[in-house]
Amino acid sequence: MLTKAGMAGATLAASLFAAMPAWAQDVAEAAAPTPDKGDTAWMMTATVLVMAMIVPGLALFYGGLVRTKNMLSVLTQVLAVAALAMILWVVYGYGLAFGGDFNRFISTGKFFLAGVTADSTVATFTDGVVIPEFVFIAFQMTFSAITVALVVGGLVERMKFSALMVFALIWLTIVYYPVAHMVWYLGGTDEATGLIFGWGALDFAGGTVVHINAGVSALVGCLILGKRLGYKKDVMAPHSLTMTLIGTGLLWVGWFGFNAGSALEANGSAGLALINTFVATAAGVLFWMLTERVLGHKGSLLGACSGAIAGLVAVTPAAGNSGPFGAILLGAIAAIVCAWFVVSIKPKLELDDSLDVFGIHGIGGIIGSIGTAFTMLPALGGPGDADYALGGQLYTQVISVLVAIAWAGVGSAIAFGAAKALTGGRVSEEVEREGLDLGEHGERAYNY
C-alpha cells in the first residue's frame, strides 16, 4: 500500500510522463529555423526589383528600339508573356523546377503550390538560415517571367501575338523549368539533384538559366520566322532612344535585386553581388563605346545602353563568384566581344535577331558563364580557396554551357515549330507593313 508521499510522487511522475510528447514537440519547434525578418524583407524587395526589370524596364528598353508603328505591340508582348509565366509558375512551373525530388532533369510535386503555407520555409546557402517559401517562389517566378520576355526581342515586328503566347507556354514547360532544375536544384540524393548543379557548375544568378537560354532561343526563333520585310533595305532605326535609356536604367536598378537577391540572404555575399553589378555594368558601358570607336563608328547612346546590358549579363553568373576587379574584366570583355559581333559580324550573316538578344544575352551569357571559372581565382580577388583548381572548374563551366545551348536550341525549335504550325507564326505582309500595333492589337502607342 502506497504512502501519501509515494502517491504524490507517482502522480507527479504520471503527469510528467503525460506531458512529455507536448514538451518534445515544443523542443522540436524551438529547434526549427525561423526566417530572419531582415532576410525576408530583403528578398521581398529583391523580388519587386526584378519585377520592375520586366515592366516597365524591359518593355521600355525593347519598345524604344523598334519603329513607332510597333511600339505598343512590344509593350503588350512583354507584359503578356510575363503574366502567362507567372500563372504557369504557380500552376506547375515551380513544381517541375523545385517541387521535390524526382530526377536530374525535373522535380515533381507542389503543383498548384499544394502543401505550401505561410509557415513553409526553404534553405539558403547558410546552414540553419531559411526564408519563407512563398517569398522564394515569388522570387523565382520573376526569373521565369523575365527570361521568356527576353526572347521577345529577337522576334519583334513580325511575330503573331497568338504564336508568341503558344511558344511561351511550350517553351517554359520544356526548356525553362528543366534548365532551372538542372542548374539550381539540390535534391536529397545525387540522383534527384539537378544535373548541372551536381557537376559543381557555378551560376550565381542565371547565366545559363536566363541569358544563354533566352539568347539561344531568340536566335532559333528569328531563323524559323525569317527576316522582317525590308530588312537591310528600309530604315529600321529605333524610334525613341530616350525610352531605351529609361529602360536601361530600370534594368540596371532592378538587376541589383536579380543578382544580390540570388544570395537569398541580406549578407556579405549579397553585398559582393551588389558592387559587382555596379562595376561590371560601368565597364560594359565604356568598353562598348570604345569598341565602336575602334571599329570606325562614333560612340553612341545605343552602344552605351547595349554595353550596360552586356556587362549586366556577363556578371550575372559571377555576381557572388567574383571580386570587383574580376567583375570589371568580365564586363569589359563581354562588351568588346558583343559589340564586335553586333556591329561587324551580324550584318555579314544577315541575321535578323531584331534587338540583338543572341548578340548580347546569348554571347554575354556564354562569356560570363565560362569566365566565372576565372573570376573565382584569388589572384583576381575572387572567393576561391588557395587550392582552387581552375582547370577542373573551367571544364565544368564549358560542359554546362554546351548542355544549356543544346537544350535551349532543341527545345525552342520544338516550341517555335509548334507555334508556327498552330498559328502560322508570322503576321501577314499587310499587317507587317502597317505595323503590329494596329494589325494585332487595334490601337497605337501614340495618337498625335
Side-chain angles (χ1 to χ4, degrees):
M1 194 173 172
L2 291 172
T3 63
K4 289 184 178 180
M7 292 177 62
T11 302
L12 177 60
S15 63
L16 286 173
F17 182 83
M20 279 185 70
W23 174 79
Q25 183 178 358
D26 291 342
V27 170
E29 291 177 352
T34 301
D36 179 81
K37 291 183 178 179
D39 291 334
T40 301
W42 161 238
M43 289 307 301
M44 292 172 71
T45 302
T47 301
V48 174
L49 285 171
V50 180
M51 181 63 214
M53 293 173 67
I54 312 169
V55 181
L58 185 66
L60 292 178
F61 179 83
Y62 278 172
L65 293 173
V66 300
R67 290 167 286 181
T68 306
K69 63 183 180 180
N70 294 313
M71 169 66 160
L72 180 137
S73 71
V74 173
L75 301 179
T76 307
Q77 289 171 357
V78 170
L79 176 61
V81 296
L84 176 64
M86 293 177 192
I87 300 299
L88 293 180
W89 186 250
V90 170
V91 174
Y92 63 85
Y94 180 72
L96 291 178
F98 299 103
D101 289 0
F102 188 60
N103 61 36
R104 292 183 172 94
F105 301 97
I106 57 169
S107 284
T108 184
K110 298 189 178 180
F111 299 119
F112 297 95
L113 304 188
V116 181
T117 70
D119 295 324
S120 303
T121 60
V122 295
T124 67
F125 299 106
T126 302
D127 290 341
V129 177
V130 297
I131 58 173
E133 189 169 11
F134 276 130
V135 176
F136 178 75
I137 292 169
F139 183 64
Q140 288 293 337
M141 179 176 68
T142 60
F143 275 57
S144 68
I146 195 169
T147 306
V148 70
L150 285 172
V151 181
V152 169
L155 321 169
V156 295
E157 301 195 309
R158 61 196 187 278
M159 189 173 189
K160 285 183 177 180
F161 182 67
S162 58
L164 178 65
M165 298 303 285
V166 171
F167 158 78
L169 189 154
I170 298 171
W171 184 86
L172 285 164
T173 304
I174 68 174
V175 176
Y176 184 83
Y177 303 148
V179 173
H181 175 84
M182 286 190 282
V183 174
W184 284 331
Y185 185 77
L186 173 61
T189 65
D190 291 342
E191 291 72 22
T193 294
L195 179 70
I196 294 174
F197 187 98
W199 290 343
L202 301 171
D203 189 351
F204 193 78
T208 49
V209 180
V210 177
H211 300 296
I212 292 176
N213 236 353
V216 171
S217 298
L219 175 62
V220 172
C222 76
L223 291 173
I224 290 176
L225 286 177
K227 303 170 189 174
R228 289 169 288 178
L229 294 176
Y231 178 67
K232 300 198 75 175
K233 297 176 182 178
D234 299 341
V235 176
M236 296 183 175
H239 89 279
S240 177
L241 285 176
T242 303
M243 291 287 188
T244 297
L245 175 63
I246 294 170
T248 302
L250 288 166
L251 283 166
W252 193 349
V253 171
W255 224 291
F256 292 114
F258 196 90
N259 283 352
S262 292
L264 301 182
E265 303 171 48
N267 59 10
S269 180
L272 177 62
L274 179 83
I275 191 169
N276 286 343
T277 305
F278 271 114
V279 297
T281 314
V285 170
L286 299 177
F287 277 87
W288 188 295
M289 297 176 77
L290 179 61
T291 305
E292 286 181 312
R293 292 295 295 168
V294 171
L295 294 174
H297 303 276
K298 295 179 179 179
S300 66
L301 175 60
L302 176 57
C305 292
S306 300
I309 304 304
L312 286 163
V313 168
V315 80
T316 293
N321 301 316
S322 172
F325 180 69
I328 292 171
L329 288 178
L330 268 186
I333 293 169
I336 292 169
V337 176
C338 291
W340 172 69
F341 179 86
V342 169
V343 175
S344 296
I345 303 302
K346 177 188 164 185
K348 297 176 183 177
L349 298 175
E350 296 193 1
L351 177 67
D352 193 12
D353 173 12
S354 313
L355 308 182
D356 297 311
V357 182
F358 176 74
I360 295 176
H361 293 273
I363 293 177
I366 291 169
I367 291 170
S369 295
I370 295 175
T372 299
F374 294 94
T375 62
M376 284 289 290
L377 287 167
L380 295 178
D385 297 330
D387 59 350
Y388 171 68
L390 173 60
Q393 190 62 53
L394 180 60
Y395 175 80
T396 299
Q397 297 299 116
V398 170
I399 295 299
S400 300
V401 165
L402 292 176
V403 169
I405 291 172
W407 196 285
V410 173
S412 59
I414 294 171
F416 278 115
K420 186 175 181 179
L422 290 170
T423 67
R426 283 186 72 132
V427 298
S428 67
E429 182 175 336
E430 179 183 359
V431 169
E432 189 169 344
R433 294 193 183 281
E434 178 188 42
L436 274 65
D437 287 7
L438 285 175
E440 285 283 283
H441 304 288
E443 52 188 353
R444 300 179 188 271
Y446 309 103
N447 290 295
Y448 52 76

